[in-house]
Amino acid sequence: MKQPMRPFEDMRAALLAAATPLSTVEQVPTAEALGRVLAVDQISSLDVPPLDNSSMDGYALRCADVPAVGARLVVAQRIPAGSVGHTLAPGTAARIFTGAPIPQGADAVVMQELCSLDGDGVLIDHLPRPGEWIRRAGEDIARGAVVLTAGQRLGPQMLGLAASVGCATLPVFRRLRVALFSTGDELVMPGEPLPPGAIYNSNRYVLRGLLEALGCQVCDLGIVPDSLEATRAALRAAAGSNDLIITSGGVSVGEEDHVKPAVQAEGQLDLWLVAMKPGKPVAFGRVNDPAGGNGADFIGLPGNPVSSFVTFLMLVRPFILRRMGVEDCLPHSIRLPAGFDWPRPDRRREFLRARVGEAGQVELFPNQGPGVLSSTVWAAGLVDNPAGHAIAQGEPVSFIPYSELLS
């Protein structure tokens, strides 16, 4: 009997529900925490900036000493960044530089472009207002504020924020350990002779690259022969030391597709077939650890290169992020006008390779076939089209840029 396809939303929800976040926490240097997932909220122990400081090169002064444009003040001190001046006497100004603390008594800074030197003094060619060009203590971050929250994947700007409050190290979840292998006797590696009927294994490079971009610790098991025994042996070898096993190919229902029965023999298969295009044959389950450990989650992807690419981005990536401890793990789309007609939609949810043209409309790659890997390079993202939905030119569509999917 033909097995029904599971709706895409149901499949993704089931995957996320099964994604148990890691619990092991490591303390790593802040400079080495890029891409890691923060395990504990980070709270600032200080104000940033710690003191009122100048946001311009100029002159710190008392507004009361400049009743009119052209007032002359004696320059009584010079305050570069990294030093602290003394109390500003009435009738004087302090030459001050960006980032330098405001001297006590001063209530404004006038930028140097609005001042003119006059011997040992300065002419103020501007009527200052209290607080002008002064950055207040704690204006950026207040002492006791949460600066980074647990569950965030740390980007460069977050590392900078952590450093700005003095965090030399950060508590992060350990890396997810992922085993990867491909199945198919037709596959050969680049650099090897290409016999008749053979193809080079592109999925290995795509999937490994996607996993490493996510910060996973990848165990690459290469190509496994098309046999039930070899596939079962590879699963057993991977289950004891990895959190997740990902395969490409062999998850359909042909006589040479051994992944599904191999997983059923070595563990359990919970989900099978998803109503998305490209990428219908996707499997999820668990593989037992023969040594009695916890075993590993299993996700089997299609062998067609675009199908493998798209199903990873839309299903596997959120699952991995959730396992890594990321709270906001789903990609965000933007609404843009379609620069194309799509009159014959599929009954499955479609993810179309696309990019944004100069006019701001979404353009489609002409050939949306599941084996056309060049379309993924031409594209800058995916159009997420609901099942059975025809698209007319000019209609808003949901476009997911690669920036939401490839890092």
Side-chain angles (χ1 to χ4, degrees):
M1 186 177 75
K2 188 174 181 180
Q3 190 169 2
M5 293 184 291
R6 188 160 188 160
F8 171 81
E9 287 287 355
D10 290 356
M11 180 75 159
R12 188 166 66 182
L15 282 170
L16 293 179
T20 304
L22 298 169
S23 58
T24 304
V25 177
E26 303 171 342
Q27 199 78 21
V28 302
T30 298
E32 299 174 13
L34 183 65
R36 304 293 293 271
V37 179
L38 192 66
V40 181
D41 289 354
Q42 296 301 289
I43 299 172
S44 178
S45 61
L46 48 82
D47 289 327
V48 179
L51 299 169
D52 291 356
N53 70 89
S54 177
S55 62
M56 284 285 178
D57 290 349
Y59 294 86
L61 46 75
R62 299 170 184 266
C63 291
D65 290 338
V66 186
V69 172
R72 183 181 186 278
L73 301 174
V74 174
V75 179
Q77 55 181 308
R78 183 176 184 275
I79 313 173
S83 64
V84 178
H86 51 78
T87 300
L88 192 68
T92 70
R95 176 69 168 122
I96 198 166
F97 297 87
T98 303
I102 301 296
Q104 188 173 352
D107 60 5
V109 172
V110 177
M111 66 174 69
Q112 61 188 12
E113 292 84 354
L114 300 178
C115 301
S116 305
L117 291 175
D118 182 41
D120 64 351
V122 62
L123 299 176
I124 308 300
D125 302 322
H126 169 73
L127 196 63
R129 300 182 305 275
E132 192 170 5
W133 300 117
I134 293 177
R135 292 186 292 218
R136 297 299 181 185
E139 180 179 292
D140 184 6
I141 301 168
R143 184 193 303 268
V146 176
V147 293
L148 295 171
T149 57
Q152 286 184 299
R153 193 156 170 249
L154 297 169
Q157 74 278 24
M158 298 173 186
L159 301 187
L161 188 61
S164 75
V165 298
C167 296
T169 63
L170 289 170
V172 297
F173 292 111
R174 70 162 174 84
R175 296 184 186 276
L176 194 74
R177 296 188 290 264
V178 183
L180 172 67
F181 66 85
S182 304
T183 65
D185 289 341
E186 76 280 12
L187 299 176
V188 298
M189 293 304 297
E192 299 175 359
L194 193 64
I199 58 173
Y200 287 122
N201 184 3
S202 60
N203 284 347
R204 183 179 186 181
Y205 292 86
V206 173
L207 295 175
R208 179 167 179 163
L210 291 168
L211 289 167
E212 290 178 344
L214 285 170
C216 298
Q217 183 178 325
V218 181
C219 174
D220 189 342
L221 300 178
I223 301 170
V224 173
D226 267 337
S227 75
L228 180 61
E229 293 74 16
T231 306
R232 290 184 63 178
L235 292 172
R236 288 194 299 270
S241 56
N242 292 281
D243 306 298
L244 171 64
I245 302 169
I246 294 178
T247 65
S248 63
V251 291
S252 191
V253 291
E255 293 179 5
E256 298 300 320
D257 294 319
H258 301 292
V259 172
K260 182 183 177 184
V263 175
Q264 291 171 322
E266 298 295 335
Q268 63 184 49
L269 198 67
D270 298 321
L271 305 175
W272 173 243
L273 299 183
V274 57
M276 65 181 292
K277 183 180 180 180
K280 180 174 66 174
V282 176
F284 174 74
R286 291 279 299 175
V287 178
N288 299 326
D289 178 4
N294 293 327
D297 291 319
F298 168 82
I299 299 179
L301 301 179
N304 277 323
V306 178
S307 300
S308 178
F309 178 69
V310 172
T311 51
F312 184 98
L313 295 181
M314 302 311 303
L315 292 172
V316 182
R317 183 178 186 273
F319 176 84
I320 286 176
L321 289 175
R322 181 60 56 83
R323 287 227 55 192
M324 291 167 60
V326 176
E327 293 296 328
D328 183 15
C329 63
L330 297 181
H332 300 94
S333 63
I334 53 178
R335 299 287 284 177
L336 293 172
F340 60 91
D341 291 309
W342 192 251
R344 292 179 294 278
D346 197 87
R347 62 193 179 96
R348 295 172 282 168
R349 180 125 163 216
E350 296 175 290
F351 295 93
L352 309 171
R353 280 85 76 199
R355 69 184 182 189
V356 182
E358 292 183 1
Q361 292 188 321
V362 177
E363 303 172 346
L364 287 189
F365 191 78
N367 187 343
Q368 292 287 321
V372 186
L373 190 57
S374 58
S375 66
T376 65
V377 176
W378 177 92
L382 301 172
V383 170
D384 180 359
N385 189 41
H389 178 72
I391 301 171
Q393 186 163 348
E395 176 186 343
V397 295
S398 293
F399 178 72
I400 308 173
Y402 276 164
S403 58
E404 287 288 318
L405 298 169
L406 296 181
S407 61

